Amino acid sequence: MPKIEPMILAVPKGRILKELLPLMKAAGIEPEASFFDDKCRQLRFATNVDYLELIRVRSFDVPTFVAFGAAHLGVAGSDVVMEFDYPEIYAPVDLKIGHCRMSVAAPKTLLRTEDPAQWSHIRVATKYPKITQRHFAARGVQAECIKLNGAMELAPNLGLCRRIVDLVSSGATLEANGLAEVEKIAEVSSRFVVNRAALKTRPSEINHWIRSFQEAVNAA
Amino acid sequence: MKKNGDKALLPAGLQDLLMPAAAHEAEVVRRLIDCFSSEGYDRIKPPLLEFENALLSGAGETLSNQIFRLMDPTSHRMMGLRADITPQVARIAATRLQKASRPLRLCYGGDVLQVTGSQLRPERQFTQVGGELIGVTSDAADAEVIVAAACALENVGVKDLSVDINLPTLVPAIATDLSLEADLARDLRVALDRKDAAEVELLAGKHATLFLNLLHAAGTAEEILAFAKTLDLPGTARKEVERLVAVVELVRVQAPKLTVTLDLVEHRGFEYHTGISFIFFAKGVRGELGRGGRYNSVSVDNVVEPATGFTLFMDTVLRALPKPKIARRIFLPFGTRREEGGAFRAQGWVTISGLEPVKDDRAEALRLSCSHLLEGGHIHELGTN
């Protein structure tokens, strides 16, 4: 049998990884030991599958690695996939982990004095400027986005702007900062993503992993 | 360089093609066109600019926001710079070549300019080489354009070429047969374009299984053909699939070594297509080498004619090719007779003539990137350093 060309799976650092590992195992991927060593500075890891390597990158970078074909496979939240909206990425499996929702939030006091139907221009702090713009443009509102990389909840309280678009899971952080959820933009979960050209040029191998992850999800 | 930065900076997506890339591109374009000409595709050359309404009719409809526009000071009409050559060829076929016998085979090569590049393919100006087969609807015509383009690409040296054959009309046909609402059908179309399983499941409701099966119907020809035959499809959709099966089989007979994959829902960029479409990829090469498919050629005065064709994108094609071989360059010291140089050129050498006597011909030859030196009537090969 001819040797299979190398293939790379990009996985996100952080909280999703814990939920992801059991699924990877069920799909037949077990990383080398150093992958679990937090002190290890290594960025690429071997797996039990001889042609498959793992890279661990920031969750916002997974779609970029996959879209450009630097990684063939990846795991990314639907929030980041949607934000970049690369035409070169397919998201054929919903891994059903990392559930939360993306919502618009504002101070409770604001909601009492304003009618959102009258907005024509608003300012929003968010990590997701493109999704935010698209969301508001669809209803005729121009959204001026202030890109922040974290601690969005601070923005309304310190007068940076009055609205935010952020991920919400329990709503406790919003509550603690005197904010309320105004509306939901989308449900979020992690997706197994593949590079489009890789699927077209190496269909058997890529389809094998799509099926393996789908079966792992079905069995979970 | 820093001082000249301002002068050197080009607008986004535009670049100077230098040596040896420019010569390489011209050479590859020529060889591709030779291939198409030898199969009876006659070369034509439409202009860079046209009146906007002609550029945007029929096949050009979807390109409206990719076109640079300018006002014609003489006629006071709006003109557009071509963003794609296919609509121009369709226009020529429907007007000036209306009386030429069908099937009409035409080919072309030229630059196009688009308003925006994509993140993955930032070029706004690039060269297209393509061919169109106008006036026939047969399966044989669909197969011919796929095989002709594939052969030409392999002929210029593209390795690990594969063609993904698509049926962009299938999902709309199914949506119509199931009488899905237009909005829902459009959202579903977008979700299928992204192969976003979660979104498709959500939107398709009771038809989820069918659409998820279609979403996963991307893979090797054997696999997907077997799958397509099991699909229980209503009227129009079934006919579409039957045509696909027939064309794929023709392609596999005519080009048995070509890797063929199928994707039943691929649709992006096929907005104006009315039947079997296809995209060329090469393993390990980012982006598409070319694409094409069946469309209706509609002229300005609404003459409709069936057509199919392909367009190759030279920037990606060149990325898929090995670096060009550097020509043998020989330095002819000052005073070499012109006929002597001519003899070398006739044998395929590139000659660099010294314009004045120099102390060290060898050093001069190296300075001018020559691989050889003519010294006392003999050819000397020079070391690379």
Side-chain angles (χ1 to χ4, degrees), chain B residues 349 362 366 370-374 378-384:
Chain B
W349 286 88
R362 197 182 172 82
L366 285 171
C370 293
S371 54
H372 295 76
L373 167 69
L374 182 71
H378 296 286
I379 303 167
H380 288 285
E381 191 168 349
L382 301 170
T384 40

Side-chain angles (χ1 to χ4, degrees), chain B residues 232-255:
Chain B
D232 180 23
L233 290 174
T236 357
R238 197 178 58 235
K239 278 204 200 79
E240 299 279 343
V241 171
E242 280 164 9
R243 283 208 66 177
L244 176 75
V245 173
V247 171
V248 171
E249 265 151 27
L250 279 175
V251 170
R252 299 216 295 169
V253 170
Q254 292 174 20

Side-chain angles (χ1 to χ4, degrees), chain B residues 33-79:
Chain B
I33 298 234
D34 283 351
C35 285
F36 305 139
S37 306
S38 72
E39 291 206 38
Y41 289 75
D42 293 318
R43 186 167 189 173
I44 56 169
K45 188 185 171 197
L48 278 174
L49 282 165
E50 285 198 26
F51 290 122
E52 188 192 17
N53 61 334
L55 218 46
L56 293 182
S57 69
E61 223 174 320
T62 52
L63 285 168
S64 175
N65 46 18
Q66 281 293 12
I67 286 179
F68 280 99
R69 292 168 170 82
L70 55 164
M71 171 83 88
D72 180 6
T74 38
S75 68
H76 291 248
R77 286 176 67 185
M78 192 56 84
M79 303 188 296

Side-chain angles (χ1 to χ4, degrees), chain B residues 334 354-358:
Chain B
F334 180 72
L355 297 176
E356 53 192 34
V358 287

Side-chain angles (χ1 to χ4, degrees), chain A residues 19-94:
Chain A
E19 288 182 82
L20 176 62
L21 285 168
L23 278 179
M24 280 168 54
K25 192 169 178 198
I29 303 171
E30 290 183 47
E32 63 176 315
S34 59
F35 185 76
F36 301 98
D37 178 1
D38 286 339
K39 276 179 244 128
C40 184
R41 319 272 292 200
Q42 204 178 329
L43 293 171
R44 301 171 69 156
F45 304 90
T47 66
N48 58 325
V49 183
D50 58 355
Y51 66 88
L52 188 70
E53 239 186 308
L54 290 181
I55 56 170
R56 198 163 55 183
V57 299
R58 290 174 60 147
S59 65
F60 259 73
D61 292 338
V62 171
T64 307
F65 273 89
V66 178
F68 283 83
H72 307 85
L73 312 170
V75 172
S78 56
D79 55 333
V80 268
V81 175
M82 212 167 128
E83 173 67 13
F84 289 105
D85 198 22
Y86 286 119
E88 297 299 308
I89 285 191
Y90 289 146
V93 184
D94 182 357

